[in-house]
Amino acid sequence: MASVLSADHFHNEEAAYAYVEARLWPDGPVCHHCGATEEHVGKLKGKSTRPGLYKCYACRKPFTVKMGTVMESSHVPLRIWLQAIYLMNSSKKGISTRQLQRTFKVGMKTAWFLTHRIREAMAALHIDVTGPMGGEGKTVEADETYVGGKEKNKHRSKRKAGNIGGTGKEVVFSLVERDGSVRSHHVPSVTGATLGPILRSHVDPASKVYTDDGGSRVARQFDKHASVNHGAGEYVRGDVHTNTIEGYFSILKRGITGVYHSVSPEHLHRYLAEFDFRYSNREALGVNDIERSDLALKGIKGKRLTYATSRNRAS
């Protein structure tokens, strides 16, 4: 049986361009400059012509399928891009930048920028950002978790005796629809003023909303809200529980701790997008590794991320 990674588009540049074009241009090539379609463009061929190059005879400009995507201006071969997209989407807890650097034999800066651009493509692809989660007869679980190293693991000079629990860590607030998708948010604090607007904008009012005792106050705005009291040792009461979202947090934390080891606050939102995307397009929902990778590939269109902007936190 042949390996998935033995496919032509992972090894041949012409095949890689054909693979991407079939997914981004299902109706034929489209000029990036003027929008002219197949009848006005032609593929340039020849030994001196780079793979995937087209010329538009309407505006007289050359273009490739990489233009207008996160791949634009990249010197990394397209086949390597496709390998990276597949590896990031087939690894449940992610794959480290160092591992990709060693695998592709590129510089650390190249591997780091490559992974962040792929995360940019994965961001918000799994959700209809204009519509809410849940609805009549559906259940949404809401909870927060904390991301950051333990004080005992820090250098002695950086330890703070008062930092226990979530103190000194980054706060992640997530919403998980049972048998559905997840939406995670990097928030500054766990307060009603911070979490309330997220719940109102992302959850359908007709949904059942379940939280633990800590989130019960902010979720009272929903008529069908219920909570379990973890402080009193209550974890399940009928169908009221937060086990689904706790399961997602376990994947997130194992990935950050075991694969990435450390994630800076400036880039946490991109890692959350990566984990959200894989979870929302998981095997249990009928999406396999190849299909998930193709979905991420479609997300490269219409997005740009320069090295300078990749070093800044999203607003």
Side-chain angles (χ1 to χ4, degrees):
M1 181 179 293
S3 163
V4 172
L5 289 173
S6 66
D8 286 347
H9 59 273
F10 289 131
H11 303 279
N12 179 276
E13 203 67 2
E14 288 281 1
Y17 272 94
Y19 188 87
V20 176
E21 289 170 9
R23 283 147 186 80
L24 300 192
W25 293 337
D27 299 319
V30 179
C31 177
H32 171 69
H33 306 287
C34 69
T37 53
E38 190 171 17
E39 60 181 3
H40 298 291
V41 303
K43 191 169 187 178
L44 299 180
K45 299 179 181 180
K47 292 183 179 180
S48 61
T49 302
R50 65 182 188 269
L53 185 64
Y54 288 81
K55 182 174 181 179
C56 176
Y57 294 99
C59 67
R60 315 295 295 181
K61 294 179 180 178
F63 66 95
T64 71
V65 72
K66 290 168 61 176
M67 289 187 176
T69 73
V70 296
M71 298 178 181
E72 187 169 341
S73 300
S74 171
H75 296 291
V76 176
L78 190 58
R79 63 185 184 276
I80 300 300
W81 271 96
L82 295 180
Q83 290 180 39
I85 291 172
Y86 179 80
L87 290 172
M88 288 182 66
N89 279 277
S90 61
S91 305
K92 188 173 184 178
K93 300 177 185 68
I95 183 169
S96 72
T97 300
R98 286 291 189 186
Q99 181 62 56
L100 289 179
Q101 178 194 8
R102 292 190 296 269
T103 300
F104 299 144
K105 297 182 179 179
V106 296
M108 179 60 186
K109 180 177 176 180
T110 298
W112 182 88
F113 190 27
L114 180 72
T115 57
H116 274 308
R117 286 197 278 186
I118 294 173
R119 291 185 186 101
E120 187 75 9
M122 297 161 81
L125 272 174
H126 60 292
I127 59 174
D128 175 7
V129 292
T130 62
M133 303 175 73
E136 189 64 42
K138 296 183 179 180
T139 300
V140 175
E141 298 177 21
D143 200 2
E144 75 281 342
T145 192
Y146 299 88
V147 174
K150 296 180 180 179
E151 287 301 306
K152 67 178 183 180
N153 294 333
K154 294 181 181 179
H155 189 277
R156 184 186 298 273
S157 64
K158 295 182 180 180
R159 293 176 192 166
K160 295 181 181 179
N163 280 10
I164 58 174
T167 307
K169 298 182 180 181
E170 300 302 316
V171 185
V172 174
F173 180 60
S174 295
L175 307 168
V176 172
E177 182 178 319
R178 289 186 184 173
D179 300 318
S181 64
V182 59
R183 302 185 190 183
S184 298
H185 309 264
H186 180 196
V187 295
S189 60
V190 183
T191 64
T194 300
L195 307 185
I198 295 175
L199 278 167
R200 286 191 294 272
S201 62
H202 287 274
V203 181
D204 190 298
S207 308
K208 296 177 183 178
V209 178
Y210 295 158
T211 67
D212 60 12
D213 46 315
S216 59
R217 180 176 297 178
V218 72
R220 286 176 184 171
Q221 58 189 290
F222 293 89
D223 294 336
K224 299 176 183 177
H225 167 252
S227 64
V228 286
N229 190 345
H230 288 174
E234 181 187 44
Y235 293 92
V236 179
R237 188 178 68 255
D239 72 336
V240 180
H241 61 77
T242 57
N243 293 345
T244 311
I245 197 165
E246 293 292 349
Y248 169 72
F249 284 153
S250 71
I251 297 171
L252 173 67
K253 288 194 170 184
R254 286 173 185 171
I256 290 178
T257 303
V259 177
Y260 298 118
H261 304 307
S262 176
V263 173
S264 67
E266 292 75 18
H267 300 298
L268 179 56
H269 65 286
R270 293 195 173 98
Y271 288 91
L272 293 178
E274 175 189 352
F275 280 89
D276 281 3
F277 177 80
R278 280 195 300 263
Y279 184 87
S280 299
N281 295 285
R282 57 193 184 276
E283 287 277 358
L285 298 181
V287 184
N288 63 34
D289 292 344
I290 296 175
E291 292 167 337
R292 190 181 311 112
S293 300
D294 282 352
L295 284 173
L297 179 60
K298 292 178 182 178
I300 70 172
K301 194 173 183 179
K303 296 181 180 179
R304 288 298 310 278
L305 185 67
T306 64
Y307 187 76
T309 57
S310 70
R311 298 182 65 83
N312 299 324
R313 181 173 179 170
S315 56

